[in-house]
Amino acid sequence: MDRRAVADLSIEIMKELPVDPSQISSKPTIFKVHKRLREVNKKAYEPQIIAIGPYHRHNPANNKRVHLRAMEEQKKRYLKMLLQRRGEDNVERYVTAMSALEERARKCYAESVSLESDKFVEMMLVDGCFIIELLRKFKTENLEETNDPLCEVSYINNAVCRDLLLAENQLPLFVLRELFHLTQQLGEVHNFLEMISHFFRAVIGWYKPGQVATFDENSIENVEHLLGLLHQHCRPSPLETRNWEPIRCATELQEAGIKFKKVEEKSLFDIKFENGIMKIPRLEIDDYTESYCRNFIFHEQLIDQRLNYLTSYMTLMDCLINSSKDVELLCQCGIIENNLGDDEVVASMFNRLRDYVSFSHKNFYYSDLFNQVNEHCRRRRNKWMANLKHNYFNTPWALVSFLAALSLLLFTLTQTVFSVLAYFE
């Protein structure tokens, strides 16, 4: 490279450098799932019925998105009903509000968004109003009497809810808040967070009624989107973390004398080990559980690693479940409600959930519980009982054989005692 070429390249590089390097650009908050993680279960990260935001925006030229087209018309129908409800004949005030938020909203997406300004603003308005009106409908209307398939047909409702909590299928939360305030009716008593709480509480097993509604809007200033909001307000109480080692699977722990008990707790994550009993809240497994778990775990990968309590929970369940026998045991105890029917499928799901997921061992939520369980298993009496059960009582016939041998021993001993007594007499 000659001197002129070097000079030209140097000028081009300098043009690309920021004017003030101390000024950090806005941190993106909505990401696409990286390739290796996506390949474990691609469908868990993609919308089934509705696309929200630019990443999965419907493109007529893309036949892979055909199944999302019907909901595009439903979004427009919801916007029309919103205008009719408010007695408005145009969307000018909403377009103005969304235009003012466009630049800030674009910076929330980590991937390049190719939508032109008009299309991006339209996307925010149509998608955002659909979400707000759906939340409002569930909170204020008698769903049994409404003529709306999104409310009447449970599988459609569940699929929409599932899609609204996909990591790639998000709008910035400040967009939704702005649209909620713009569309409020005079005298409307329900607030933004109450509507979210009511809509999602029946779908996610670890999400308890009223948790979100207890927070005021000032507490969500830094929350990124709906997925982040649900994650933040399902958060358990912090625990002190320590060094820890993995625990054995449920069937082996049972052999060591540990019992499992279903408990009713405020949070799914409130698991305790007391007096040889592991107390675990019930977890319902259905067709959407894996998608919810994967997207929440992906969200945890992007935020403070000290908040990886769902990843910690799945680590615990992965340790407890090695095979279908472990699932069967936990089902018998009422801890798992398997709506998938096949215990092997559930075991496989838990065993793959943490594939390609980075995990900080220093911030494991259940480190103290693991240490208690391992200490219990290390006690000599518990180890002796575990070996006895595993080696001699592992089948009904083994137990029968043991009892028969014990009876024979006692009979022989009794006969010997009587013989000795008879001799001395």
Side-chain angles (χ1 to χ4, degrees):
M1 183 179 292
D2 58 34
R3 295 184 61 184
R4 183 177 182 82
V6 170
D8 291 342
L9 178 58
S10 299
I11 293 173
E12 291 300 318
I13 292 175
M14 290 304 297
K15 287 180 179 179
E16 296 178 2
L17 299 182
V19 175
D20 185 356
S22 64
Q23 297 296 316
I24 302 175
S25 59
S26 299
K27 182 180 179 181
T29 56
I30 303 174
F31 297 80
K32 282 192 173 182
V33 179
H34 59 81
K35 182 179 179 181
R36 294 186 72 185
L37 187 58
R38 179 186 297 277
E39 287 177 348
V40 179
N41 186 349
K42 183 178 180 180
K43 292 182 178 179
Y45 304 103
E46 296 184 349
Q48 291 182 346
I49 194 169
I50 185 169
I52 298 294
Y55 288 161
H56 293 279
R57 192 74 174 160
H58 168 60
N59 180 356
N62 190 346
N63 292 328
K64 294 182 180 180
R65 296 286 183 261
V66 171
H67 62 290
L68 304 176
R69 292 181 186 176
M71 288 302 297
E72 294 303 312
E73 294 302 315
Q74 189 76 348
K75 292 178 188 178
K76 295 174 183 177
R77 176 171 165 263
Y78 266 49
L79 180 55
K80 182 66 175 180
M81 289 192 299
L82 182 154
L83 295 174
Q84 291 175 345
R85 174 174 62 82
R86 292 184 52 82
E88 298 173 331
D89 57 7
N90 66 70
V91 294
E92 185 174 336
R93 63 192 293 261
Y94 305 116
V95 170
T96 300
M98 293 298 99
S99 296
L101 296 177
E102 179 189 358
E103 183 178 355
R104 180 183 172 191
R106 281 184 180 272
K107 292 178 180 179
C108 293
Y109 295 94
E111 303 290 329
S112 176
V113 176
S114 60
L115 290 176
E116 296 180 355
S117 180
D118 289 353
K119 291 296 182 181
F120 190 89
V121 170
E122 179 185 357
M123 177 270 297
M124 285 197 297
L125 173 58
V126 175
D127 289 3
C129 284
F130 168 80
I131 293 173
I132 294 300
E133 286 300 286
L134 181 65
L135 298 177
R136 185 174 278 126
K137 183 183 287 287
F138 264 77
K139 185 62 178 175
T140 60
E141 294 188 13
N142 186 342
L143 300 181
E144 295 180 356
E145 298 178 0
T146 185
N147 186 25
D148 189 337
L150 293 186
C151 303
E152 290 182 313
V153 183
S154 60
Y155 84 86
I156 295 180
N157 168 234
N158 290 337
V160 170
C161 181
R162 175 255 188 204
D163 286 354
L164 292 182
L165 293 180
L166 297 178
E168 298 179 346
N169 219 31
Q170 298 295 318
L171 284 180
L173 195 66
F174 61 79
V175 171
L176 298 180
R177 291 177 66 193
E178 178 67 15
L179 288 170
F180 169 75
H181 293 306
L182 286 173
T183 59
Q184 270 186 302
Q185 292 283 84
L186 184 64
E188 186 174 351
V189 296
H190 304 298
N191 67 41
F192 181 51
L193 296 176
E194 284 177 340
M195 295 195 313
I196 295 173
S197 174
H198 185 80
F199 182 76
F200 288 104
R201 68 180 180 179
V203 183
I204 305 178
W206 62 83
Y207 180 62
K208 304 301 178 183
Q211 280 184 298
V212 171
T214 60
F215 290 79
D216 59 56
E217 293 203 21
N218 292 328
S219 70
I220 64 170
E221 281 297 328
N222 297 320
V223 177
E224 310 90 346
H225 36 63
L226 286 176
L227 178 64
L229 179 66
L230 268 292
H231 180 271
Q232 174 170 314
H233 295 308
C234 293
R235 182 182 306 171
S237 302
L239 294 177
E240 183 179 352
T241 57
R242 299 179 176 86
N243 293 329
W244 58 279
E245 295 178 358
I247 59 175
R248 309 296 294 179
C249 66
T251 50
E252 292 183 14
L253 291 179
Q254 185 186 48
E255 290 178 351
I258 291 177
K259 297 180 180 179
F260 295 89
K261 181 181 179 181
K262 182 193 75 171
V263 291
E264 298 295 334
E265 297 292 346
K266 293 181 179 180
S267 169
L268 177 75
F269 309 106
D270 193 5
I271 302 174
K272 297 182 177 66
F273 183 71
E274 299 173 345
N275 301 319
I277 302 175
M278 190 174 292
K279 301 177 180 179
I280 308 176
R282 183 181 68 91
L283 173 64
E284 183 176 351
I285 306 293
D286 58 26
D287 292 331
Y288 301 109
T289 302
E290 183 171 0
S291 179
Y292 286 131
C293 291
R294 286 192 176 279
N295 283 274
F296 273 98
I297 289 174
F298 176 69
H299 176 71
E300 289 184 344
Q301 300 294 291
L302 307 175
I303 61 175
D304 192 335
Q305 281 289 303
R306 290 171 295 182
L307 304 178
N308 62 2
Y309 50 87
L310 186 63
T311 308
S312 293
Y313 176 85
M314 290 306 163
T315 300
L316 182 150
M317 296 302 290
D318 186 26
C319 287
L320 290 180
I321 296 174
N322 276 349
S323 69
S324 59
K325 291 183 179 179
D326 299 306
V327 176
E328 181 182 3
L329 170 61
L330 295 178
C331 286
Q332 291 173 350
C333 298
I335 292 170
I336 288 180
E337 182 177 331
N338 182 8
N339 293 327
L340 298 179
D342 190 335
D343 291 343
E344 188 63 44
V345 171
V346 175
S348 177
M349 181 194 78
F350 279 111
N351 295 157
R352 295 186 307 132
L353 270 174
R354 293 195 304 116
D355 289 356
Y356 303 115
V357 171
S358 62
F359 178 64
S360 173
H361 283 246
K362 295 181 180 179
N363 298 309
F364 181 51
Y365 187 72
Y366 298 104
S367 58
D368 194 44
L369 182 144
F370 271 40
N371 290 334
Q372 293 174 24
V373 171
N374 285 325
E375 177 61 27
H376 175 93
C377 294
R378 277 193 289 266
R379 292 172 187 162
R380 182 172 299 176
R381 177 175 175 274
N382 294 327
K383 290 180 69 174
W384 180 80
M385 289 297 296
N387 289 329
L388 181 65
K389 289 179 180 180
H390 183 76
N391 295 323
Y392 299 102
F393 298 153
N394 56 348
T395 67
W397 289 112
L399 178 61
V400 170
S401 299
F402 173 80
L403 293 176
L406 180 62
S407 299
L408 180 62
L409 177 63
L410 292 174
F411 177 77
T412 303
L413 180 62
T414 303
Q415 188 178 37
T416 302
V417 170
F418 277 109
S419 298
V420 171
L421 292 175
Y423 174 79
F424 284 105
E425 288 178 358

